[in-house]
Amino acid sequence: MHIFVTGGAGYIGSICVEELLNAGYQVTVFDSLVEGHKLAIEPRANFIQGDLGDRDFIFKTMAKVKPDAVMHFAAFALVGESMTNPSKYFINNLANGINLIDAMVAADVKKLVFSSTCATYGIPEKVPMDERLPQKPINPYGQSKLMFEQVLKWYDQIHGLVHVNLRYFNAAGASASGKYGEDHRIETHLIPNVLKVALGQKEQVDIFGDKHATPDGTCIRDYIHIIDLAAAHILALKRETSSYYNLGTGEGYSVQQVVDVARKVTGHPIPAVAKPARAGDPPRLVAGAHKAQKELGWKPQFNRLQPIIESAWNWHKAHPNGYGD
Ligand code: UFG
């Protein structure tokens, strides 16, 4: 099977590409390299540099490559940034995504695995969060992903586009080979920022809010290892009908717990300072992922925080400047 991977030079995309190749799939990576990195492109994959905003180009490319399925990772994914620049999120995550699926329909490519997010739920009415919860995003990032899910539903009904929406919780860790890891040009994510302090590249980590409605006052998230996410994508390829799944471990850890575990893993004191809460941040997001386990046969290997942080730390220690671009 030949898989076309948008955003295949990004953090989650690059590791899925590596796992797809290891599992015997043929892969074409399509990436603009605006957020992705040249060195994150698997040498075993074909690479096409392009932007989904270029409608003619994606139509021509899809007609030429004619893959068996598409995995769509290309997107902007910063909650905080989406609260100040919503247009960037609606254009790329929604409008450019529509260019992709129109190109798929035109080329008769009928299967899509979509990188969605638990941010589509907003502040959950209950935790752990299963797929029956209403989707009420509280930031433009989550809204843009939800709108794309809604468009996909119509494309299935009208064009027969089978799609699997994978709603990830917080992706973390690095690839099994140690080659690919998390490097964003502007780093806003918690775990890499905590590890940058341990590497001596930042003085301290800011804790965004210590008065949330959680036991220690800091936000709780469900950190899911990137290798487990990749496994779910590969299982999703086997589905014959459209569906949607939450992907998380079912265990929540607070920002303070992340800092504490990182201190243990790195042996560095990692100074941390409480700062005001970040706009658009729900206090507590923890997955109920039984549906993915039952229907996809998915079982996360990493269900504790320490091995996840160890995996991220090994990559950051070996690549202190990320991909160096
Ligand atoms: N945080 C800090 N200090 C930092 C960075 C983050 O306290 O320096 C806090 C945040 O406020 C949040 C938690 O750590 O409470 C996790 O923040 P991240 O930025 O690492 O991740 P988010 O939860 O904001 O968002 C991530 C992805 C989204 C995805 C979401 C799902 O960026 O794409 O997880 O929960 F949708």
Side-chain angles (χ1 to χ4, degrees):
M1 253 181 118
H2 185 175
I3 316 297
F4 187 86
V5 182
T6 76
Y11 171 43
I12 304 176
S14 62
I15 293 161
C16 274
V17 167
E18 189 185 31
E19 294 288 328
L20 279 167
L21 289 159
N22 290 348
Y25 291 87
Q26 186 189 344
V27 176
T28 294
V29 168
F30 184 91
D31 200 297
S32 66
L33 299 182
V34 169
E35 294 285 345
H37 308 272
K38 251 198 182 118
L39 288 177
I41 303 165
E42 248 292 330
R44 291 174 289 166
N46 310 317
F47 174 59
I48 297 170
Q49 185 167 358
D51 197 308
L52 292 175
D54 186 342
R55 193 170 163 91
D56 285 347
F57 187 64
I58 186 62
F59 267 69
K60 283 187 190 126
T61 305
M62 194 60 67
K64 201 163 135 205
V65 177
K66 239 183 154 330
D68 297 294
V70 173
M71 286 188 183
H72 178 36
F73 297 96
F76 294 130
L78 300 179
V79 171
E81 183 188 55
S82 81
M83 293 295 284
T84 56
N85 190 357
S87 153
K88 181 173 171 181
Y89 283 72
F90 291 116
I91 290 174
N92 195 32
N93 298 1
L94 179 61
N96 294 351
I98 294 172
N99 289 338
L100 171 70
I101 54 178
D102 282 344
M104 289 175 65
V105 170
D108 203 28
V109 177
K110 294 282 177 152
K111 193 174 274 189
L112 177 78
V113 181
F114 172 52
S115 178
S116 189
T117 168
C118 70
T120 57
Y121 293 108
I123 297 176
E125 286 162 13
K126 65 175 191 60
V127 175
M129 299 157 64
D130 68 27
E131 294 82 357
R132 287 168 298 191
L133 282 177
Q135 288 176 290
K136 292 192 276 188
I138 59 161
N139 49 61
Y141 165 65
Q143 186 74 51
S144 68
K145 291 279 186 173
L146 173 58
M147 288 164 94
F148 193 67
E149 285 196 8
Q150 291 165 336
V151 171
L152 284 175
K153 206 169 161 189
W154 288 108
Y155 274 57
D156 186 3
Q157 190 174 315
I158 296 163
H159 298 299
L161 180 69
V162 174
H163 58 278
V164 182
N165 300 331
L166 297 179
R167 298 177 187 150
Y168 324 148
F169 284 63
N170 288 53
S175 75
S177 66
K179 287 199 290 191
Y180 308 112
E182 186 164 15
D183 176 15
H184 298 109
R185 295 204 167 77
I186 298 170
E187 192 52 82
T188 65
H189 291 94
L190 179 63
I191 292 177
N193 273 329
V194 167
L195 298 178
K196 277 178 196 287
V197 180
L199 284 171
Q201 297 174 350
K202 273 171 71 95
E203 297 261 298
Q204 62 182 47
V205 61
D206 295 334
I207 294 189
F208 297 139
D210 63 352
K211 293 184 180 52
H212 289 282
T214 61
D216 66 18
T218 68
C219 283
I220 292 176
R221 292 288 181 274
D222 182 334
Y223 295 90
I224 173 80
H225 199 285
I226 201 88
I227 293 171
D228 287 324
L229 282 184
H233 284 76
I234 294 174
L235 291 167
L237 284 174
K238 301 194 172 79
R239 275 202 64 90
E240 299 294 336
T241 53
S242 297
S243 197
Y244 46 86
Y245 301 101
N246 289 351
L247 298 179
T249 63
E251 291 292 328
Y253 293 93
S254 71
V255 173
Q256 186 60 55
Q257 285 174 309
V258 169
V259 174
D260 290 342
V261 172
R263 285 176 177 148
K264 196 166 147 199
V265 167
T266 63
H268 189 284
I270 310 183
V273 179
K275 291 283 164 77
R278 198 167 63 177
D281 266 354
R284 192 172 152 99
L285 297 172
V286 180
H290 299 294
K291 190 173 177 231
Q293 291 175 19
K294 198 166 147 231
E295 292 184 14
L296 295 178
W298 179 66
K299 198 170 180 307
Q301 301 171 36
F302 290 83
N303 45 22
R304 288 186 317 111
L305 184 60
Q306 186 163 329
I308 294 178
I309 293 190
E310 281 166 358
S311 154
W313 177 232
N314 288 338
W315 192 80
H316 284 274
K317 259 192 313 190
H319 304 84
N321 300 312
Y323 291 105
D325 56 355

